[in-house]
Amino acid sequence: MAQVFPRSANTLARVSLFCVVAGPLAILLTGSAITRSGFNTKVDVPLDQPVPFSHEHHVNELGIDCRYCHTSVTKSSFAGIPPTYTCMSCHSQIWTNSPLLKPVRDSLATGEPLQWVRVNKLPDFVYFDHSIHINRGINCNVCHGPVHRMQLTYKGKPFFMSFCVNCHRNPEGYLRPREDVFNLYVKYQRGDISAEDRRMLDDPDYVPSPAQVAKGKQLVKEYGIKKAQLTDCWICHR
Amino acid sequence: MSNPSTERILNGEHSYLTIDGRIGGVVLDQRKHPLPWYVTFAIGFGLLQVMMLAFTWLLYKGVGIWGINIPVGWGFAIINFVWWIGIGHAGTLISAILLLMRQLWRNSINRFAEAMTLFAVMCAGLFPLLHTGRPWVAYWLFPYPSVLGVWPQFRSPLVWDVFAVSTYMTVSALFWYIGLIPDFATMRDKARNRLAQIVFGILSMGWRGSAGHWFRYETAYLILAGLSTPLVLSVHSIVSFDFAVSIIPGWHTTIFPPYFVAGAIYAGFAMVLILAIPIRAWYGLKDFITMRHLDWMAKFMLGTGLVVFYGYLMEAFYAWYSGNKYEQYMMMNRWVGPYAPLYWALIVCNGITPQFLWSPKVRRNLAMLFTISVVVSIGMWLERFMIVVESLHRDFLPSSWGMYAGTIWDWATFIGTIGFFTFNMFLFIRFVPMINMFEMKDLLHKITGRVPAQAITQRAHEAAELAEERA
Amino acid sequence: MSSKNDTNITQRDVLQRLKDRLAGRKGPEYWRSLEELAGSPEFQRFVEDEFPNRSSLLEAMKMDRRSFLTLMGSSIALAGLAGCRFLPAEKIVPYVQAPEDLIPGVPVYYATAAVILGYGVGILVESHEGRPTKIEGNPGHPASLGSTDALVQATLLDLYDPERSQNVSKKGQAATWDAFFAEARKTLASLPAGGEGLRILTGTVTSPTLAAQISEVLRKYPAARWHQYEPAADHNARAGAVAAFGKPVQAIYHLDKAARVLTLDADFLGQPPSNIRYARDFAERRRVRRGATEMNRLYAVESTPGITGAMADHRWALRPGEIEAIARAIAAGIGVRMGADAHQATYPWVDAVARDLAAHHGASVVIPGAGQPPAVHALAYAMNQALGAVGSTVRFVEPVEATPVDHLASLKELVADMRAHRVRALLILGGNPVYTAPADLEFADALASVPFSVHLGRYDDETAATCLWHLAESHYLEAWSDVRAFDGTASIVQPLIQPLYSSRSAHEVLAGLLGDPIPGLEIVKNHWRAGFAGPDARFEDAWRKWLNDGVIPGTAAKPVTVPDAKVPAPTPVVADGYDVIFRPDPNLVDGTFANNAWLMELPRPLTKLTWDNAALMSPAMAVRLGLATREKAYVANNQVVELSYKGRKLKAPLFILPGHADNCVTLHLGWGRTRGGSVCAGKGVNAYSLQTSDAPDYGSGLQIAPTQDRYELVSTHYHSAIDMEGRHPVLWRTFDEYQRSGYAPVAGDEESTPSESMFRTPPEYANYDGYAWGMSIDLNVCIGCNACVVACQAENNIPVVGKDQVSRGREMYWIRIDRYYQGTTEADLENPVTFFEPVPCMQCELAPCEPVCPVGATTHSHEGLNQMVYNRCVGTRYCSNNCPYKVRRFNFYKFSAGQPNNAPGNYDNPTYKLMANPNVTVRGRGVMEKCTYCVQRINEARIKAKEQNRTIRDGEIQTACQQVCPTKAITFGNIHDAGAEVSRQKQEPAKFVLLGDLNTRPRTTYLAKFRNPNPEIGTEKSLE
């Protein structure tokens, strides 16, 4: 009786057998790759803002302290976004009629607040507190990436839980003396910043050196940080 | 050299041809399906729609549509899960353990017992997923490297379940399929219409019945049998841990694993009988599924039934012997509490009814056998109700006692899955040879002790094919 | 990651151009490239939205962001937090000019006063960026001392109630304030000389400013009249005082000085507005610690079981009419000079009680009940004088009410005049008289004859519907006012928020009518400035201080000296058929709080009924009526009976209440509303429809006819836990036993020695040197008032689920108050000993819930908290099954969004959104939740302490339930700190562990209940 299938079917059969096994695996791997890719995390993607505000210019070139605008960063969970008045405290003097700043002037005139697009965002079930991180000597860039170099503000780190947990499990590498948190930018500007710290500020993929970790261990003791407790769920979720 | 132990497990004057005809014919000749098939299938299909509806509504509204509450956090969903998983067990037992024990009689029932296992596990699998409050994140129970930097908690029996059930599902499916390959090949060769040839051709994966094929087949089949054997015991033991590791009086007992496994096989054989008795009549398969088979299965039911009954007695004994007031109250509550009628119904269904099976007359009376099987199936469901609900509804603090009753949606999901099961089962009957043909032929050979003529021609034919291929 | 590098490159040259531009050089193409980079809508959509059809999907399924997230959950399988990328681009909007001393994210507290039945309770209100989110008691205020009750807590929900009336309406048609004032002034002008026919109807008025305004009106229109009617006020006390002393004086009790207390049907622990203070004082004398030699003793005679009776060492259930006789007998026993026929009551215990009271001369007190006739009050005053209580445990002061009148008489007069068409213009300031007036007055159709009737109220209720004009009244958190506490102390009521709707306060309305519409602040401030002693310059400082402290010093009511109380002649006891008793509902009071979903669902202290009232009666009576058998007293529940009383009929479902006086039926007022919001409308039966003005409190001649109908009542104590199933959820001793035993531990083996466990405490927790949080609940002073339950609800964004869901056992309370009765004999059933036991999460150290969770959504913190993580929860409910205390609650539906059948308390509702505590996640569908020991407060304190490089002080953290508790029965703190109050309590011999034999090692432990029965009265039971 006639063959139902041509010879080629055999190869086809073997290939399909292979796919049955390999297929699902491939899909999972791709999925996880996409998740971690910039495409998903939006890291490094500047968003369209009413005013093309440059952190690089204000922080690094002019040397304005973070707290000048983000006033509540040391006092509250929320870092604070500068009110229009803060912008105008300088821009009533300089660049008074720059077209870029028109929205700011309008806001002052009309009393309509500026509407910035949120860049760094956590889900509502995550309760992050800026003040305590600053207080423990965590520099802004540790979470926000090289802000001081940002011409347009973009997300510096993907806020995966694993990212947070990584630091909460071994904070040593990222702790700095309290007084240095904002000082680092000044040093950076003056150029008398240690290579380690420079890397921490500039390099999004910064990995602390053993020496730094050793110093960090000191700080952990000094601050009385209970490392084990840092990964308790209710530290961040309620 | 006829073997007494194989007497009367294959009746009638059969040749290889007639075996193929009888069993394969059901599939190949789509015209000659009896009316009951259409009726039952229609019912199954209808109920399947009910299930779909119930689950859609569930996903849209939330588990609130069910009767569950605080304190009774688990209801029908878990009852049905355990019930279905249990039913599956007979299949695995028959195919794996009886195979290793060289029980020839299993050959004529293992095929659809395995199918039954497969579909029962499919029904069961739906519940653990859908009973969660947020099924869309149920995948968190699987260990995988997530960006959350956290893993499932392996101390929880629910995670063990995930592995137990998925393994069980996979192995059963493989076992069933491998066993089917030679028959698919036969179907391919017997098929007259092109479509059937292609479909069966693909399914048979180029099986030619060469000695090499048979050698590999036997090895693979034995290995899988070896793999499934521990599963028969492990799966339901682990399911029983869902309860046993808790502290709830009525759950917190050490006898659960054996007691659950026995119960599972008990329920399983009941279901096999419920299916086998009508089908062998409708399709004239009395020659292959003989009274001898039914008798053996009845005896299995009796045996496991006694173990289960012993379990009930031990529960009561432990409750008293523990001297623990919560355990004792739990038992009293089962006996005289608001759910007492269900408990006594359970005792009647699972404890008393099977005792009739002591009498050979009853075992040979199909009507009785069928009824008893149905009663036992109901009893087993009641048992799970007793375990899940009656333990939870009155635990430690009188202030937080409550009552539980299934809502219409609970029933819809339960009945619906029965439909799903029937639906699958009858598709299987119609499109897959429901009895193992080559095993039957083998059996015939063992019985008659000679190779019928057309077998020789068949072998020659195969040899020719082989040569052709070589050239 | 090539894509990433690309963006970097494009970005960099864009930024280069930006710098050029900033340097003033031209770079027109820069804009185009920025467009390309981020500006163009396509790009935006690409950046922000992976699923273009998502928004439409949202519309279709009416989902908020959170539920959308959950739906997308599976598609963001491996994404975890990266779920953010699917969110719509969120705008972040700063101030134009930041308000001073406001730090975004840090709450501010303001002192003000809650107005309950016209009296003030001092409170501190937490405000998040201008949204009042939580009410706490004001420690400096005499009526609060830092605590509140359930009512005050719930007023927060009233503020945000979306069903409040929001505008002015005339005959139901929307109108404007200007239109109203125009017409009102015209009408007033048109009145005959002296404003003949102008009437004002108010509730109890203690507000000095309002009183001044009203009297100004009366000056301007001499012929006008002011009527007052407050249904739930203590009218009889006033009448009693007049009867006894010939003038209205007010009695204030000092239970902290009382060793022996006798209540004559008085619910001083439950009856606002003095309940909070009285409860605190009472508890001061009740608390028992190791070595205690004193404990007060409470005798309660009452007809309707209340929380006061439940606390009593001796309680007797009597028909309200019989209580006067008892009072006389006891009075005689303690040497009150009675009239000729002091007919002796036949109760054996009377003399014992009298002796005991007399033995504590000057340290005992008799408190008459609001529901008792003036005679009983007069008797009580006389007894107190005879007991030398005046000046120590009782003080008589000038009435706090601006103008104390006989409210009922005042109302009758108004109705009479309305019928006689003598009323041209009626101004109803607050209240709902059409609903609350006794049935026989038929207030509604009397009102119909008034040509110009105005109702100022917070709801479009029965009265609003009957009046010509309805004006939206501002909530006390929205408007300036002032109010006096029960002891006379005045507070300024300062608003926390601008009125949510176009509503006004009574002050503003009156000012408007008087022709100078000035804002409330001015009105109140001017009044106080006028009355201010010292120089004007100082006023501002004083004013600021008053606002800051929440009290105005030196405003407490002046004491008055009273003559010997005249003892009225005995009123004959009429007892034909059954008595009907009208009582304010424990939660809704007179119906004022009827549209408050929190109070609607809150289980009543003893019946545990929610969402309904019922005809309460004793088991024996039900048996006698043939509604039940002695064996199964509770089968009577849910049967509908027809009550006929003075020619009026009312059908009501029956509820058997152990301890209820025999031969009488209690109906709670405030139910069966026909208008005034979806929460209250049609719930329960309206007891006012039986109430008559000649006997507003209780009356004889009730007939009861069974009907065939049944009505499902829902009580959270599913089966009435009348016996304890051989279990000891509550341990108790008599104070005497305890002393004689030399303060031996009360916990028997079962509670103290846990059964052997195969598991060690995980070492990392065992030897953790940080904080270890624990709680201790003193059952001896817990009065079961429910304040903690509502406080918890407000603090933790706990949704209301509605009657249907409660009936399915799905209420969401994180802390519940278990009510146990002791004993099973008939006598017990008729007059049981009642125990209250608040049960929050026990925060077990070996928590059964933890090991069973498949995803680790509930884990153990190093500080010993049993953490529940909503966003990790899959919803298997295994943890709840395995919790022996059943304190876990599950979101079977999306309760927070009002599902399934839009139950109130819906956090998706724009106004309720404002109310939510921003520091607690609003839970979505399908997740488990439970008490967290208010972890948000713990974290806040921990962070503050860390920033100040110190450790958290004892008492620095107060859980919501602890802070609100009127008797301070709940203590929370660090049990590693031996000096902490909670640690000391855990050392007490009275300490016991709930279900200790399970070896769960709860962090929440209890102090046993003590009873202090009079040895001369041998009725006390004992568990042995």
Side-chain angles (χ1 to χ4, degrees), chain B residues 66 136 153 242 325 396 399, chain C residues 727 750 810 818 853 878:
Chain B
W66 288 344
W136 48 87
Q153 179 182 229
D242 290 351
K325 60 171 178 270
F396 296 95
S399 66
Chain C
R727 310 173 184 202
E750 200 161 84
R810 295 174 180 177
D818 288 350
C853 175
Y878 199 169

Side-chain angles (χ1 to χ4, degrees), chain B residues 61-350:
Chain B
K61 294 290 283 185
V63 288
I65 66 171
W66 288 344
I68 46 177
N69 56 36
I70 310 292
V72 186
W74 286 351
F76 272 37
I78 300 302
I79 297 169
N80 301 340
F81 164 65
V82 182
W83 191 68
W84 279 117
I85 283 277
I87 285 174
H89 274 57
T92 330
L93 178 97
I94 292 168
S95 34
I97 297 188
L98 297 189
L99 176 79
L100 296 179
M101 292 177 171
R102 299 247 182 286
Q103 294 295 314
L104 283 180
W105 63 277
R106 52 86 68 185
N107 294 342
S108 37
I109 51 170
N110 75 319
R111 171 70 46 80
F112 76 77
E114 286 167 26
M116 186 190 77
T117 303
L118 214 53
F119 303 141
V121 176
M122 280 162 70
C123 293
L126 288 168
F127 287 106
L129 169 66
L130 290 166
H131 98 289
T132 60
R134 305 198 296 165
W136 48 87
V137 290
Y139 63 87
W140 282 343
L141 269 71
F142 289 94
Y144 68 94
S146 81
V147 292
L148 301 175
V150 291
W151 294 86
Q153 179 182 229
F154 296 102
R155 284 190 302 170
S156 166
L158 296 186
V159 175
W160 309 342
D161 260 2
V162 170
F163 290 103
V165 175
S166 45
T167 320
Y168 189 41
M169 181 77 195
T170 328
V171 173
S172 317
L174 278 175
F175 201 42
W176 183 65
Y177 182 71
I178 301 262
L180 266 164
I181 291 177
D183 281 1
F184 279 142
T186 318
M187 305 304 289
R188 174 197 60 199
D189 302 342
K190 300 259 173 200
R192 285 284 153 270
N193 95 22
R194 187 83 185 127
L195 180 66
Q197 287 179 339
I198 294 176
V199 173
F200 286 121
I202 293 172
L203 289 172
S204 58
M205 303 177 100
W207 174 273
R208 289 189 311 281
S210 69
H213 283 180
W214 280 113
F215 174 72
R216 293 212 188 82
Y217 167 83
E218 293 293 349
T219 329
Y221 204 63
L222 269 177
I223 292 175
L224 281 171
L227 281 178
S228 348
T229 308
L231 282 178
V232 178
L233 304 175
S234 70
V235 174
H236 227 51
S237 304
I238 288 173
V239 169
S240 77
F241 291 159
D242 290 351
F243 306 100
V245 302
S246 85
I247 65 168
I248 300 300
W251 285 10
H252 184 58
T253 26
T254 46
I255 59 161
F256 263 22
Y259 163 46
F260 266 54
V261 173
I265 293 161
Y266 188 36
F269 270 103
M271 186 54 82
V272 177
L273 280 168
I274 292 175
L275 293 168
I277 292 172
I279 290 170
R280 70 192 276 275
W282 295 340
Y283 288 98
L285 298 172
K286 298 203 173 67
D287 293 356
F288 306 103
I289 306 175
T290 66
M291 289 314 293
R292 179 86 174 274
H293 293 102
L294 303 182
D295 185 57
W296 263 320
M297 290 197 264
K299 285 176 180 164
F300 253 96
M301 263 173 74
L302 179 55
T304 47
L306 289 171
V307 178
V308 171
F309 195 28
Y310 171 79
Y312 299 153
L313 298 179
M314 284 318 282
E315 272 190 318
F317 171 75
Y318 284 160
W320 166 76
Y321 189 68
S322 68
N324 177 316
K325 60 171 178 270
Y326 306 115
E327 291 286 343
Q328 285 166 351
Y329 177 79
M330 177 274 295
M331 213 57 222
M332 285 311 295
N333 184 44
R334 283 185 185 177
W335 287 340
V336 299
Y339 290 115
L342 292 180
Y343 179 81
W344 295 115
L346 152 72
I347 295 296
V348 172
C349 296
N350 285 2

Side-chain angles (χ1 to χ4, degrees), chain C residues 579-600:
Chain C
D579 291 355
V580 60
I581 309 173
F582 303 101
R583 284 291 154 87
D585 184 85
N587 298 0
L588 310 186
V589 193
D590 59 348
T592 315
F593 298 96
N595 207 55
N596 188 307
W598 286 353
L599 292 173
M600 260 289 177

Side-chain angles (χ1 to χ4, degrees), chain C residues 216 335 663 743 796 800 945:
Chain C
E216 192 184 339
N663 293 323
Y743 309 102
N796 294 303
V800 169

Side-chain angles (χ1 to χ4, degrees), chain B residues 58-75 131-141 144-148 150-159 241-248 251 325-326 329-330 392 394-403 407, chain C residues 61 70-71 73-74 76-81 716-719 721 723-727 729 750 808-810 816 818 820 839 848 850-856 870-878 880-886 888-890 892-893 899-900 925-928 994-995 997-998:
Chain B
L58 174 74
L59 289 176
Y60 180 63
K61 294 290 283 185
V63 288
I65 66 171
W66 288 344
I68 46 177
N69 56 36
I70 310 292
V72 186
W74 286 351
H131 98 289
T132 60
R134 305 198 296 165
W136 48 87
V137 290
Y139 63 87
W140 282 343
L141 269 71
Y144 68 94
S146 81
V147 292
L148 301 175
V150 291
W151 294 86
Q153 179 182 229
F154 296 102
R155 284 190 302 170
S156 166
L158 296 186
V159 175
F241 291 159
D242 290 351
F243 306 100
V245 302
S246 85
I247 65 168
I248 300 300
W251 285 10
K325 60 171 178 270
Y326 306 115
Y329 177 79
M330 177 274 295
L392 282 175
R394 289 186 176 181
D395 60 353
F396 296 95
L397 290 180
S399 66
S400 40
W401 288 356
M403 289 296 285
T407 64
Chain C
M61 303 184 63
T70 53
L71 182 78
S74 43
I76 56 171
L78 304 143
L81 286 193
T716 55
H717 258 252
Y718 189 94
H719 109 120
D723 60 340
M724 298 192 187
E725 299 297 347
R727 310 173 184 202
E750 200 161 84
R808 296 166 190 272
R810 295 174 180 177
R816 63 170 194 266
D818 288 350
Y820 290 105
V839 185
E850 285 169 11
V852 298
C853 175
V855 291
Y870 316 120
N871 44 300
R872 177 65 173 172
C873 179
V874 174
T876 65
R877 302 180 297 285
Y878 199 169
S880 169
N881 288 349
N882 211 26
C883 172
Y885 308 94
K886 290 289 175 282
R888 292 178 156 263
R889 299 286 175 246
F890 187 69
F892 290 90
Y893 289 103
Q899 285 179 9
R925 162 189 145 193
V927 302
M928 191 62 69
L994 189 56
L995 298 179
D997 50 335
L998 297 182

